[in-house]
């Protein structure tokens, strides 16, 4: 065992993690997110985006992540890991449908 395995957070744990991360790392005077937090966040994003459409917990998680990404105070280091906000995704899909 290399010690590199990542625990998979439950849906509730993922929401708690996202809320805590946002509280500590977004806003004036906030701490920069540790690399380990970015790795956990990336895992949450990947799992949520790859979940089936019927997974309500994953859909809720994606909505929360989208709100997080659209926060003007969200630092670039976090925004680079987060999915694009819903408005941007909708605009992209409308553009692709119009082509």
């Amino acid at each position: 065992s290399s010690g590199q395995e990542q625990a998979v957070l439950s849906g509730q744990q993922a929401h708690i993690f996202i809320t805590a991360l946002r509280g500590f790392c977004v806003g004036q005077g906030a701490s920069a997110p540790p690399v380990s937090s970015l790795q956990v966040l990336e895992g949450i994003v990947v799992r949520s985006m790859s979940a089936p459409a019927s997974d309500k917990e994953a859909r809720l998680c994606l909505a929360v992540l989208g709100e997080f990404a659209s926060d003007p105070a969200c630092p670039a280091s976090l925004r680079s890991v987060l999915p694009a906000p819903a408005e941007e995704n909708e605009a992209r899909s409308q553009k692709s449908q119009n082509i």
Side-chain angles (χ1 to χ4, degrees), residues 72-86:
C74 182
S77 59
L78 287 172
R79 194 170 281 125
S80 69
V81 175
L82 294 167

Side-chain angles (χ1 to χ4, degrees), residues 15 47-66:
H15 287 289
R47 280 190 305 281
S48 297
M49 293 184 80
S50 62
S54 61
D55 187 333
K56 292 179 183 178
E57 195 68 42
R59 299 301 116 206
L60 177 59
C61 196
L62 284 173
V64 171
L65 291 167

Side-chain angles (χ1 to χ4, degrees), residues 6 13 25-26 32 36 54 59 68 81 87 93 95-96:
Q6 280 189 319
Q13 290 170 327
C25 300
V26 175
S36 58
S54 61
R59 299 301 116 206
F68 193 177
V81 175
E87 304 82 48
S93 67
K95 282 182 186 176
S96 66

Side-chain angles (χ1 to χ4, degrees), residues 6-22:
Q6 280 189 319
V8 175
L9 300 178
S10 71
Q12 289 178 335
Q13 290 170 327
H15 287 289
I16 291 167
F17 176 81
I18 294 165
T19 301
L21 188 64
R22 191 172 183 177

